[in-house]
Amino acid sequence: MTIIEPGDLVTLKGLKNQKEKPIGIIKRKWSNTRYEIMWLNEKLSLRFALDNYVHPQKLEVISRAN
């Protein structure tokens, strides 16, 4: 499991073959099991019915902040 830190760009796991996928920035670690995310493309996040608090096992890191 990769370590996710605030500022990382993330997307949902399993969407490799999708042309459009939701992309978000990690704002902070909310609890031991959730991260708070700001979704960059809100229309896609609404279509995928995403919440602002997501479990880290559902996320895939696109780019690191540091």
Side-chain angles (χ1 to χ4, degrees), residues 33-51:
T33 60
R34 303 271 183 210
Y35 286 99
E36 184 178 3
I37 298 177
M38 179 180 66
W39 295 105
L40 298 177
N41 39 8
E42 284 191 36
K43 290 182 180 180
L44 282 176
S45 67
L46 290 175
R47 186 170 72 181
F48 283 91
L50 297 175
D51 193 16

Side-chain angles (χ1 to χ4, degrees), residues 13-41:
K13 279 188 180 178
L15 296 179
K16 251 184 211 179
N17 298 329
Q18 293 279 358
K19 289 183 181 178
E20 298 177 332
K21 53 185 170 182
I23 297 173
I25 297 176
I26 301 290
K27 288 172 92 175
R28 63 182 167 160
K29 189 171 183 176
W30 182 253
S31 67
N32 289 337
T33 60
R34 303 271 183 210
Y35 286 99
E36 184 178 3
I37 298 177
M38 179 180 66
W39 295 105
L40 298 177
N41 39 8

